[in-house]
């Protein structure tokens, strides 16, 4: 498998812009939208859907894309929350694994003025007590970061918070004191 084609992030950006502009009006949408027929919410309104790739740790110590179809969300912070929740729910393919243990939850997301997403993770355990080495720590962090940034190009970086604090590191190998940006080096190729 290869990383997301360059056109999909643009299509997602256009979809979010179209959703904002059209305020949910039916009609032809940009390329990221799927055409699986209308699906309704409780009011009977059509729900737009978009295909995204979630990047899970897998074979070869790489991040592998797994396609999902999700409801389109117009607010960027809510879209980040949806992506991270889907990622933490785990993969459907057996060869991939969760980036973080099941005990880890996302409790909130907020964006600052420079389009940095602050992702609030919560767990009963401190991250340094989790069993991971340097590669696992990088895969866990960049699974979240690359999933957000490759699907939502309007987001410039991701800050990972743990139990309400921005930590120096999760396990001592990766500096998490600054916003993390897209890192394609861990993405699986072909």
């Amino acid at each position: 498998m290869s990383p997301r084609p360059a056109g999909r992030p643009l299509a997602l950006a256009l979809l979010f812009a179209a959703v904002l502009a059209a305020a949910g009006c039916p009609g032809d949408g940009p390329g990221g939208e799927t055409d699986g027929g209308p699906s309704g919410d409780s009011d009977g309104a059509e729900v737009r859907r978009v295909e995204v790739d979630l990047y899970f740790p897998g074979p070869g110590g790489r991040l592998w894309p797994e396609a999902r179809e999700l409801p389109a969300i117009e607010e960027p912070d809510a879209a980040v929350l949806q992506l991270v929740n889907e990622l933490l729910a785990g993969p459907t393919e057996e060869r991939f694994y969760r980036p973080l243990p099941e005990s880890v939850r996302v409790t909130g997301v907020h964006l600052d003025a420079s389009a940095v997403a602050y992702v609030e993770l919560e767990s009963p355990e401190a991250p340094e007590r989790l069993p991971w080495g340097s590669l696992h720590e990088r895969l866990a962090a960049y699974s979240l970061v690359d999933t957000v940034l490759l699907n939502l190009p309007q987001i410039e970086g991701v800050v990972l918070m743990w139990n309400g604090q921005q930590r120096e590191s999760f396990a001592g190998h990766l500096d998490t004191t600054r916003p993390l940006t897209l890192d394609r080096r861990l993405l699986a190729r072909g």
Side-chain angles (χ1 to χ4, degrees), residues 57-58 60-62 97 132-141 173 186:
R62 297 285 183 204
Y97 58 91
W132 45 17
S134 62
L135 178 60
H136 185 87
E137 181 181 12
R138 287 186 66 75
L139 288 170
H173 308 286
L186 291 173

Side-chain angles (χ1 to χ4, degrees), residues 2-185:
S2 61
R4 167 183 288 290
R8 278 202 183 157
L10 178 58
L12 286 170
L14 292 172
L15 173 65
F16 286 108
V19 169
L20 284 172
C25 296
D28 292 334
E33 200 173 319
T34 59
D35 190 359
S39 56
D41 63 14
S42 60
D43 297 332
E46 185 177 317
V47 175
R48 293 176 187 236
R49 300 189 66 81
V50 63
E51 187 176 311
V52 300
D53 283 333
L54 305 178
Y55 290 86
F56 289 102
R62 297 285 183 204
L63 295 174
W64 295 83
E66 184 177 280
R68 299 270 172 94
E69 187 179 299
L70 303 175
I73 296 178
E74 58 189 67
E75 300 88 14
D77 55 343
V80 171
L81 180 64
Q82 178 186 46
L83 284 169
V84 175
N85 273 325
E86 283 290 321
L87 192 66
L88 293 180
T92 58
E93 291 191 40
E94 289 183 20
R95 64 189 181 120
F96 305 153
Y97 58 91
R98 290 174 181 274
L100 295 167
E102 286 186 59
S103 63
V104 177
R105 301 277 181 254
V106 60
T107 59
V109 170
H110 72 275
L111 268 61
D112 70 10
S114 60
V116 171
Y118 287 76
V119 177
E120 305 271 349
L121 300 172
E122 185 176 278
S123 175
E125 292 186 276
E128 64 270 7
R129 296 182 141 190
L130 298 173
W132 45 17
S134 62
L135 178 60
H136 185 87
E137 181 181 12
R138 287 186 66 75
L139 288 170
Y142 281 99
S143 176
L144 278 73
V145 171
D146 289 355
T147 292
V148 169
L149 298 179
L150 287 169
N151 286 291
L152 300 170
Q154 69 269 40
I155 307 295
E156 298 291 328
V158 177
V159 172
L160 300 174
M161 309 285 286
W162 195 279
N163 292 340
Q165 298 179 341
Q166 184 176 354
R167 301 178 57 91
E168 199 171 298
S169 179
F170 283 178
H173 308 286
L174 179 65
D175 178 5
T176 56
T177 61
R178 58 184 172 69
L180 299 173
T181 57
L182 184 64
D183 187 346
R184 294 180 183 274
R185 293 175 293 179

